[in-house]
Amino acid sequence: MNRFIYTALPTRVVFDVEHLSVVQDEANRLGMKAPMVVTGQQQSSLGLTINSKLGACHWDGARMHTPVVETERALEFFHERKADGIISLGGGSAIGLGKALALRTDCPQICIPTSFAGSEMTNILGETTASGKTTKRDPHIQPETVIYDPALLQSLPISFAATSGMNAVAHAVEGLYAVDGNPIISLMAEEGIAALAEALPKGPSAYPQALYGSWLCGTVLGSVSMALHHKLCHVLGGMFNLPHAETHTVILPHATAYNAPAAPKAMQRIANALNATSAAAGLYDLAKALGAPLSLKQLGMPEASLDKAVDIALSNPYPNPRGLERGPIRQLLDDAYHGRRPQH
Ligand code: NAD
């Protein structure tokens, strides 16, 4: 055993409920008298339903990457309505706006995720301004309560369920070789990958199991440091406005192949969870079986910008199992651009 530190995150989790019947009880538990329901446009009608039950107010302006200008408008509305809590419902974008408001108001937060992104289990907030995307961790960002209701995921387009699920798997993969990893988080990571790998190919009937997996993977993301894979996705998403879940899906097998020689125990656990002989190839095969995009080319990334992406990825050093080597990282991005299956 190596020395480790394990800090449990304080979020209360309520799983598999009778279609949102517990929201009122959970809001009461946190002392919310006038919560603000936060959604994006697509989940607006569901947000209205919750709003009508709680007699709260509703904001449906959540957008991808949490633009600060939008947060400021929502914050004004929050104060106008004298709201005293946040109930965010949606994918990572709606939850991101809820977190941005909770950080600015110090009020309690309930998250009801409708995708597998995992943001609800973290104290991390990414926000964008004209000068780019920045990420911060703060205890005020961590939601007090998360309600997982698998029925809400039945409306997910199959293609987004696949990439969103792979986004969750990516948190667990990096958790297994995190510089600050620990045995409890590794258990969660392995179980999370296994649950998602088994459930996603079965489609909507297995979304409850996939949601259980995404909860575990989100907990991993919130608990330990991510490495090269998340860095590359952050850089590519920010530079080329590539879609979040799809970018994670394409990069994951290649970032895993890059790290494989430096993290053999983690690779063995990932392969076991996937029921595959190789971690990197197993991840590629899972994405392929789900019909997910496999190349950056498919996502519209310009090939001529790969060198610039490497420069940015290397500009700030960060912990990674294998040292950051320019040539092999350029090769990693070339493989991802063309969607080649990793050899090992
Ligand atoms: P998203 O929230 O932007 O959703 C993508 C699309 O899917 C939207 O149009 C949304 O309305 C739709 N959608 C979501 N759930 C649906 C459902 N059940 N049925 C039908 N349509 C549905 O995408 P995402 O991938 O969930 O989240 C991405 C964002 O979350 C990014 O901004 C990313 O940076 C952030 N994120 C943050 C963290 C964190 O810990 N801070 C973790 C993961 C992701």
Side-chain angles (χ1 to χ4, degrees):
M1 291 296 287
N2 295 326
R3 176 183 182 270
F4 66 85
I5 295 173
Y6 170 66
T7 307
L9 295 173
T11 299
R12 169 181 164 92
V13 172
V14 183
F15 191 89
D16 196 9
V17 295
E18 286 292 312
H19 206 48
L20 296 180
S21 61
V22 295
V23 181
Q24 177 82 67
D25 288 349
E26 292 300 323
N28 291 345
R29 210 178 156 270
L30 292 169
M32 293 182 185
K33 301 259 184 309
M36 174 162 145
V37 179
V38 175
T39 67
Q41 288 279 310
Q42 250 180 293
Q43 276 76 41
S44 191
S45 58
L46 205 49
L48 278 173
T49 312
I50 298 178
N51 186 19
S52 65
K53 283 187 190 148
L54 296 187
C57 55
H58 177 212
W59 180 268
D60 66 0
R63 294 203 353 236
M64 183 81 99
H65 303 310
T66 327
V68 170
V69 281
E70 297 296 335
T71 300
E72 280 164 1
R73 289 179 53 223
L75 186 62
E76 219 171 281
F77 182 74
F78 179 96
H79 288 310
E80 254 172 48
R81 297 303 176 102
K82 299 191 170 26
D84 63 0
I86 305 285
I87 301 177
S88 56
L89 179 143
S93 298
I95 288 169
L97 176 57
K99 286 170 150 183
L101 293 169
L103 178 64
R104 286 162 173 80
T105 58
D106 197 18
C107 71
Q109 228 187 132
I110 297 175
C111 294
I112 309 172
T114 64
S115 78
F116 301 123
S119 177
E120 69 281 356
M121 289 309 299
T122 82
N123 58 6
I124 306 167
L125 171 64
E127 298 186 286
T128 45
T129 60
S131 48
K133 187 165 180 173
T134 52
T135 302
K136 56 172 78 105
R137 278 187 191 257
D138 189 295
H140 293 101
I141 296 171
Q142 183 84 35
E144 276 72 9
T145 300
V146 173
I147 301 174
Y148 285 109
D149 181 349
L152 296 175
L153 283 88
Q154 292 298 317
S155 56
L156 273 179
I158 297 287
S159 57
F160 181 53
T163 54
S164 186
M166 292 303 294
N167 181 194
V169 169
H171 309 326
V173 165
E174 294 231 290
L176 279 163
Y177 53 62
V179 64
D180 50 358
N182 63 69
I184 299 293
I185 287 301
S186 293
L187 282 176
M188 290 188 182
E190 197 170 340
E191 170 77 358
I193 297 171
L196 281 154
E198 191 183 322
L200 291 172
K202 295 181 183 161
S205 65
Y207 284 174
Q209 187 189 8
L211 192 57
Y212 160 68
S214 80
W215 162 47
L216 295 173
C217 294
T219 305
V220 174
L221 173 68
S223 304
V224 296
S225 304
M226 298 289 107
L228 177 67
H229 167 79
H230 279 73
K231 177 74 174 183
L232 286 175
C233 293
H234 184 89
V235 165
L236 295 173
M239 270 176 84
F240 307 106
N241 201 22
L242 298 184
H244 178 83
E246 286 87 337
T247 308
H248 274 270
T249 305
V250 169
I251 295 293
L252 185 60
H254 305 287
T256 307
Y258 179 91
N259 278 326
K265 282 189 191 154
M267 294 301 141
Q268 190 57 56
R269 294 183 79 161
I270 297 163
N272 288 348
L274 293 168
N275 203 12
T277 48
S278 142
L283 291 165
Y284 182 95
D285 293 343
L286 175 61
K288 190 170 180 187
L290 297 174
L294 296 170
S295 71
L296 291 174
K297 194 175 179 178
Q298 276 170 281
L299 304 187
M301 159 132 187
E303 189 174 12
S305 305
L306 291 177
D307 285 321
K308 197 169 163 218
V310 178
D311 288 343
I312 299 178
L314 293 178
S315 59
N316 291 316
Y318 46 91
N320 189 62
R322 177 173 168 188
L324 303 174
E325 301 169 40
R326 177 173 293 273
I329 290 180
R330 178 65 177 78
Q331 183 61 49
L332 178 173
L333 285 180
D334 197 67
D335 291 339
Y337 180 81
H338 292 285
R340 299 184 188 108
R341 183 177 186 271
Q343 297 300 310
H344 310 290

